[in-house]
C-alpha cells in the first residue's frame, strides 16, 4: 500500500515539474520573440508644482494631445495615453504619457523631437512642468474587455524584480490569473503590464496599469481581490508563487490616476 502511495506522489510531483518546465519554456520563447527588436514604447513621467497642476493638466489635454494626435495621423505614432494623478504626492509623478510606436525605427523620430522639446513639451509646457524620467518599454501583457470610457480609474503599480525570466513566469502564474478573475467579477475593464527594456532597478522594472470600470468598482478593490484569491486556493502553481512572491519583486509607491487624453 505504501509503495502505491509513494508511486502516486512521485507521479504527481513529476507532472507538476513537467508543467512548470512547459510554462517556463513558453515564457522564455515569448520573451525571446519580444526582444528580437528594440522597444516600441516610451513611458514619460512629469512633475509640476501645486500652482501649476491645473494649467499643466489643461496643457496636456489641449496642446500636447493635439500634437500627439497629429503624429498618430501621420503614422509616426500608433497610439498614446495621457494619465493625470488624482493627488499630488511627494515622490510620484503628476502626469504620465505612454507612447506606442508602429515600429522601433519610429522611436528615432521622437528622439529628434526631444532635442528641442524635452519630454515632448514646448516652451509653454516646460514653463509648467519638468519631464522627470523616460523609460523604454515593451507592452508584454494586456487585455481590454471594452472601449475606454469616461469615469474609469487607473491604478498604477511599479515593481522592481531580481530576475527578468523568473519575473515573467511569476506574472503568468500568479498575476494574470488574478487580473483575469477581477475582470470576470466585473471590477476591471482591462490591464496593461509593461516591462522596462533597460531595467536597472529604480524607479521600476515593470509597471502594472489596472483599469477599473468606474469609481464604485475601484472602491470594492480589496473585496474583489479577496474573493478571487479564495477561488485560486486550489491552484497549486498559484499558491507556490504566492509563497515566494516577496523574494521575487518589490513594490514601490502606487498612483491613482485618470486617463485625460488618448
Amino acid at each position: 500500500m505504501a509503495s502505491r502511495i509513494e508511486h502516486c506522489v512521485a507521479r504527481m510531483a513529476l507532472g507538476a515539474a513537467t508543467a512548470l518546465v512547459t510554462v517556463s519554456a513558453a515564457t522564455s520563447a515569448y520573451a525571446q520573440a519580444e526582444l528580437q527588436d528594440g522597444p516600441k514604447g516610451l513611458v514619460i513621467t512629469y512633475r509640476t508644482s501645486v500652482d501649476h497642476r491645473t494649467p499643466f493638466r489643461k496643457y496636456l489635454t489641449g496642446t500636447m494631445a493635439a500634437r500627439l494626435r497629429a503624429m498618430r495621423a501621420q503614422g509616426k505614432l500608433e497610439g498614446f495615453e495621457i494619465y493625470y494623478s488624482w493627488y499630488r504626492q511627494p515622490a510620484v509623478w503628476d502626469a504620465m504619457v505612454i507612447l506606442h510606436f508602429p515600429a522601433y525605427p519610429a522611436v528615432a523620430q521622437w528622439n529628434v523631437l526631444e532635442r528641442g522639446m524635452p519630454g515632448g513639451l514646448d516652451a509653454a509646457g516646460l514653463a509648467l512642468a519638468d519631464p522627470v524620467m523616460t523609460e523604454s518599454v515593451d507592452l508584454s501583457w494586456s487585455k481590454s474587455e471594452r472601449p475606454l470610457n469616461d469615469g474609469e480609474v487607473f491604478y498604477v503599480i511599479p515593481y522592481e524584480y531580481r530576475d527578468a525570466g523568473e519575473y515573467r513566469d511569476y506574472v503568468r502564474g500568479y498575476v494574470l490569473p488574478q487580473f483575469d478573475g477581477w475582470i470576470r467579477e466585473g471590477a476591471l475593464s482591462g490591464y496593461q503590464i509593461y516591462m522596462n527594456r533597460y531595467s536597472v532597478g529604480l524607479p521600476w522594472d515593470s509597471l502594472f496599469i489596472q483599469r477599473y470600470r468606474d469609481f464604485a468598482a475601484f472602491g470594492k478593490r480589496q473585496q474583489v481581490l479577496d474573493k478571487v484569491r479564495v477561488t485560486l486556493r486550489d491552484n497549486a502553481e498559484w499558491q507556490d508563487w504566492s509563497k515566494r512572491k516577496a523574494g521575487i519583486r518589490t513594490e514601490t509607491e502606487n498612483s491613482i490616476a485618470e486617463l485625460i487624453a488618448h
Side-chain angles (χ1 to χ4, degrees), residues 19-35 140-141 163-173 176 195 237 241:
L20 286 175
V21 169
T22 301
V23 169
S24 296
T27 302
S28 177
Y30 177 85
Q32 289 303 315
E34 184 177 84
L35 300 175
S140 298
W141 299 272
D163 177 82
E166 176 188 51
Y167 187 77
R168 287 179 181 273
D169 290 341
Y170 158 79
V171 169
R172 287 180 176 273
L176 297 187
M195 295 281 281
E237 182 188 359
W241 286 117

Side-chain angles (χ1 to χ4, degrees), residues 63-254:
T63 304
M64 184 72 159
R67 180 178 300 119
L68 296 179
R69 288 177 185 134
M71 293 180 66
R72 183 173 60 194
Q74 296 163 5
K76 296 178 181 179
L77 279 179
E78 187 172 65
F80 70 92
E81 296 91 41
I82 303 179
Y83 299 92
Y84 212 72
S85 64
W86 276 10
Y87 313 114
R88 192 171 195 279
Q89 298 167 271
V92 181
W93 47 269
D94 291 289
M96 179 173 70
V97 172
I98 302 182
L99 304 176
H100 307 274
F101 295 90
Y104 178 58
V107 179
Q109 298 179 38
W110 179 264
N111 291 343
V112 173
L113 180 147
E114 279 268 359
R115 296 172 189 169
M117 300 174 61
L121 303 181
D122 58 18
L126 291 171
L128 298 172
D130 296 320
V132 176
M133 185 76 67
T134 299
E135 305 291 346
S136 299
V137 300
D138 299 299
L139 178 55
S140 298
W141 299 272
S142 66
K143 181 174 286 189
S144 178
E145 293 295 301
R146 64 176 188 175
L148 292 164
N149 289 284
D150 291 340
E152 292 183 325
V153 178
F154 295 83
Y155 194 51
V156 184
I157 312 173
Y159 287 97
E160 296 173 64
Y161 53 70
R162 65 182 182 184
D163 177 82
E166 176 188 51
Y167 187 77
R168 287 179 181 273
D169 290 341
Y170 158 79
V171 169
R172 287 180 176 273
Y174 179 80
V175 176
L176 297 187
Q178 291 190 94
F179 283 12
D180 291 340
W182 299 347
I183 287 175
R184 288 193 299 271
E185 289 295 323
L188 293 187
S189 298
Y191 57 80
Q192 295 173 315
I193 302 177
Y194 293 91
M195 295 281 281
N196 190 335
R197 177 66 72 93
Y198 310 118
S199 57
V200 290
L202 292 173
W204 52 266
D205 297 319
S206 73
L207 191 71
F208 291 6
I209 301 181
Q210 300 170 359
R211 180 181 154 205
Y212 282 84
R213 286 180 173 268
D214 51 34
F215 191 76
F218 183 64
K220 296 179 180 178
R221 180 177 185 273
Q222 189 63 46
Q223 175 185 329
V224 174
L225 185 153
D226 293 339
K227 181 178 180 180
V228 170
R229 283 183 175 175
V230 169
T231 69
L232 292 168
R233 285 178 179 172
D234 295 330
N235 183 321
E237 182 188 359
W238 185 87
Q239 285 289 355
D240 180 59
W241 286 117
S242 179
K243 293 174 184 176
R244 296 194 289 131
K245 65 181 181 180
I248 294 171
R249 87 293 184 269
T250 302
E251 181 177 344
T252 53
E253 191 169 357
N254 304 169

